[in-house]
Amino acid sequence: MTSALPSVLGLAPVVPVVVIEDASDAVPLARALVSGGLPAIEVTLRTPAALDAVRAIAAEVPDAVVGAGTVVSPVGVADAVGAGARFLVSPGWTESLLGAMRSSGVPFLPGVSNTSEVVALLELGVREMKFFPAEAAGGVPYLKSLSGPLPQARFCPTGGISPISAPSYLSLPNVGCVGGTWMLPADALAARDWARVESLAREAAQLRAS
């Protein structure tokens, strides 16, 4: 993400990471998350319904800031932006993927999991990144150790984060928000229990650094 583009790190403390199997669920799900106080929604490009879900949310939920996650190719970048994605998130990055994201015109969070990847992005002028998979890659202690030598880098850690661990991440000076799925339990999604999703989103939206 370059300084010329807006940041997604400050929209909410938690960015829901959503896997949508049925595009007809996208709008009520997004409305529940927004009503709960989580406007930034990352729809992962892991299912055939994902792009239709992004289109639907972009068209019908104006208070949502819908983004696309699991973006792994320049084609994926073009498809996501064409569908209305307002930010992009990748689990990792290559030169061609980074070039496509930088040319997309929307904010992006390239994924990193080690110090060398962070330094490489900083050299290229990218300061905001996804730290993934957060828990497996070292979690809070790892990110805390990066804040000293690399204070200019800011992160959205994602992967294995829970409502219990989220406040510890959010207390770090180099963490703008976290990505998570705990407000989207499988049984609630299967039952289309949007009221429960909204309630869990509201609890997540209240998480702040201690």
Side-chain angles (χ1 to χ4, degrees):
M1 188 176 299
T2 67
S3 59
L5 294 172
S7 171
V8 298
L9 294 186
L11 287 172
V14 178
V15 176
V17 180
V18 183
V19 179
I20 295 180
E21 302 287 349
D22 185 340
S24 67
D25 291 337
V27 168
L29 174 58
R31 287 176 175 157
L33 291 170
V34 171
S35 294
L38 301 180
I41 301 169
E42 177 188 333
V43 177
T44 63
L45 302 185
R46 302 180 192 176
T47 68
L51 289 174
D52 285 338
V54 171
R55 287 189 192 94
I57 295 170
E60 299 183 45
V61 191
D63 291 333
V65 182
V66 63
T70 322
V71 178
V72 295
S73 70
V75 171
V77 169
D79 288 346
V81 174
R86 293 170 61 184
F87 65 91
L88 304 169
V89 183
S90 67
W93 65 279
T94 63
E95 289 185 9
S96 61
L97 176 58
L98 184 65
M101 290 193 293
R102 296 186 84 157
S103 299
S104 69
V106 302
F108 57 92
L109 295 173
V112 297
S113 61
N114 63 59
T115 308
S116 293
E117 292 170 343
V118 175
V119 171
L121 285 178
L122 289 174
E123 281 190 350
L124 296 170
V126 179
R127 296 189 175 188
E128 296 188 355
M129 313 166 194
K130 172 180 179 175
F131 181 61
F132 177 82
E135 287 289 281
V140 170
Y142 194 94
L143 285 176
K144 185 176 182 179
S145 71
L146 291 183
S147 66
L150 301 171
Q152 64 272 52
R154 297 184 73 229
F155 302 96
C156 174
T158 304
I161 298 175
S162 73
I164 302 301
S165 62
S168 296
Y169 282 96
L170 292 169
S171 71
L172 299 176
N174 56 352
V175 170
C177 62
V178 300
T181 61
W182 71 84
M183 72 299 298
L184 303 161
D187 57 342
L189 297 184
R192 293 178 168 82
D193 187 350
W194 310 127
R196 184 179 172 202
V197 170
E198 180 178 341
S199 177
L200 291 170
R202 185 169 292 109
E203 292 176 5
Q206 293 171 355
L207 292 174
R208 290 293 187 274
S210 58

